[in-house]
Amino acid sequence: MFWGSKRKKTSTNIGSLPEDLVFEILLRLPAEDIYKTAILVCKKWHNAIHSCNFVHKHLQHSAPVLLAQLIDHGDDRDYGFHQLNIKRFLPMGRGSVEESEFSYDTMGRVLGSCNGLILECLETEDRYNLSIVNPVRFESFDLPSISPEFDIAYDPMIAYAEASNKYKVVVMGFWKFEPTGIESCVMLTVGVDKSWRRVDTKHLDIDRCLSTQRFIHWTRSEGTCIANLNVETEIVTETRIPQGYEKRFKYYLSMGSCLTLLVECVEFSWEVLKMKPETGEWTRMLKIDLEPLKGKFVNL
């Protein structure tokens, strides 16, 4: 401040900011803030947020998000999972875990998530109804019915094909007219396919299915290989588990953009390895060692 100065005072309002600067500011906002407040500020912001370029850039800029569920089955065997079903989004890769609110009340079972979208299933006696939910905008998109010939369906997963900017849903199951025990896979490109397409999965032998951004992974706790389906190319490849871990107790976690392998050393200690889906390369991470603290939670 210059005392006695006659210089004209200038003020800057948000409407006078350059469009490219506004674009960069909006990219740094969480999706919930964008659609609840930012989109209402002015027409310029509204148009920027609705552009395809903004949606694509916001996905690239956002940290991977995992959906965590706490389900209490209670005493009711048929409907117990409705008694307590708490869900939280957990953004990853920012040095800490940030728990976010989950305001959408799902109608069916939540099977997975990708980029903040939720894959939901509402089962009836004769149908297996899948839908994709946007919990921020309270929107739901119903997927086509699966062929009646696909007798037993399970493990639906959703992943994102970044190059084509499309979401794909994959469902495992058994065909009625094939030998029992041979598992198969059907896929749907959301908003494009009107029916499910069959994908060659090389007769996979699996017991768990996970998704990591643009890959679907099939694993076995006692297996030596992981099968990876690239939803962009729709090609299945196999990745071997690092040598020496084949017979040890292990389990897998999806960490948004990568698959993580946890191998038990002792009861409260694990080795952690991260797999890059594109190359199948494994990287050793920091070891988790809770042995010195086990007396504090061993009875939980």
Side-chain angles (χ1 to χ4, degrees):
M1 180 179 294
F2 297 92
W3 293 101
S5 172
K6 295 182 179 180
R7 184 180 299 172
K8 290 184 178 180
K9 293 181 180 180
T10 59
S11 62
T12 303
N13 59 56
I14 202 159
S16 65
L17 294 176
E19 289 188 10
D20 57 342
L21 182 57
V22 171
F23 192 89
E24 289 297 320
I25 292 172
L26 293 175
L27 281 182
R28 285 159 173 76
L29 294 178
E32 194 163 4
D33 292 342
I34 288 174
Y35 285 104
K36 283 188 175 180
T37 55
I39 201 170
L40 304 175
V41 170
C42 63
K43 190 174 182 180
K44 182 192 291 186
W45 286 28
H46 182 278
N47 293 337
I49 290 167
H50 275 94
S51 68
C52 292
N53 185 38
F54 178 80
V55 173
H56 185 65
K57 290 284 188 184
H58 192 271
L59 282 177
Q60 290 182 320
H61 191 271
S62 301
V65 174
L66 298 181
L67 177 61
Q69 298 183 78
L70 172 62
I71 300 174
D72 183 2
H73 294 276
D75 297 326
D76 192 331
R77 294 183 180 179
D78 294 325
Y79 302 101
F81 62 88
H82 288 298
Q83 294 176 7
L84 178 62
N85 195 337
I86 301 171
K87 308 175 193 70
R88 293 288 187 271
F89 277 127
L90 304 175
M92 309 300 293
R94 292 176 176 167
S96 61
V97 177
E98 302 171 8
E99 184 178 304
S100 62
E101 293 292 333
F102 195 97
S103 54
Y104 179 81
D105 187 15
T106 54
M107 300 296 294
R109 289 190 299 120
V110 171
L111 303 170
S113 66
C114 180
N115 292 336
L117 298 178
I118 296 168
L119 181 62
E120 186 180 54
C121 175
L122 187 61
E123 294 182 65
T124 61
E125 290 184 1
D126 58 345
R127 293 191 65 186
Y128 195 72
N129 304 302
L130 293 172
S131 60
I132 295 176
V133 174
N134 185 329
V136 172
R137 301 183 66 174
F138 296 94
E139 294 176 346
S140 179
F141 181 82
D142 294 331
L143 302 182
S145 298
I146 299 176
S147 169
E149 295 181 359
F150 206 56
D151 189 26
I152 302 174
Y154 62 92
D155 273 347
M157 285 285 151
I158 181 172
Y160 178 61
E162 186 175 355
S164 58
N165 196 25
K166 300 293 182 185
Y167 288 90
K168 297 187 180 183
V169 178
V170 174
V171 181
M172 294 296 295
F174 299 90
W175 290 92
K176 282 185 178 179
F177 306 108
E178 286 191 354
T180 304
I182 294 181
E183 294 168 300
S184 191
C185 168
V186 291
M187 178 182 287
L188 180 91
T189 303
V190 180
V192 177
D193 294 334
K194 296 191 173 163
S195 60
W196 295 80
R197 298 176 282 107
R198 194 168 179 178
V199 178
D200 181 17
T201 52
K202 302 178 181 179
H203 304 310
L204 296 174
D205 181 22
I206 66 171
D207 64 6
R208 192 173 182 204
C209 185
L210 301 118
S211 64
T212 57
Q213 210 71 0
R214 58 191 182 93
F215 282 85
I216 305 292
H217 307 277
W218 293 288
T219 68
R220 284 196 71 83
S221 57
E222 298 178 357
T224 58
C225 289
I226 300 168
N228 313 293
L229 171 63
N230 186 331
V231 296
E232 194 77 65
T233 62
E234 300 188 8
I235 295 174
V236 178
T237 58
E238 288 188 334
T239 302
R240 287 196 63 84
I241 295 170
Q243 194 170 6
Y245 296 104
E246 296 90 347
K247 295 183 179 180
R248 294 171 61 181
F249 177 75
K250 55 189 173 293
Y251 59 95
Y252 301 88
L253 292 175
S254 169
M255 297 300 289
S257 59
C258 65
L259 188 68
T260 303
L261 171 65
L262 287 94
V263 183
E264 186 179 87
C265 303
V266 290
E267 190 176 7
F268 295 101
S269 177
W270 302 270
E271 288 188 52
V272 184
L273 297 97
K274 182 174 71 173
M275 186 190 82
K276 189 175 182 181
E278 293 83 357
T279 62
E281 179 185 0
W282 292 95
T283 304
R284 193 184 300 274
M285 309 299 288
L286 291 174
K287 184 177 179 180
I288 299 174
D289 186 7
L290 301 179
E291 280 291 310
L293 302 174
K294 67 181 181 180
K296 295 184 178 181
F297 53 79
V298 70
N299 294 321
L300 292 180

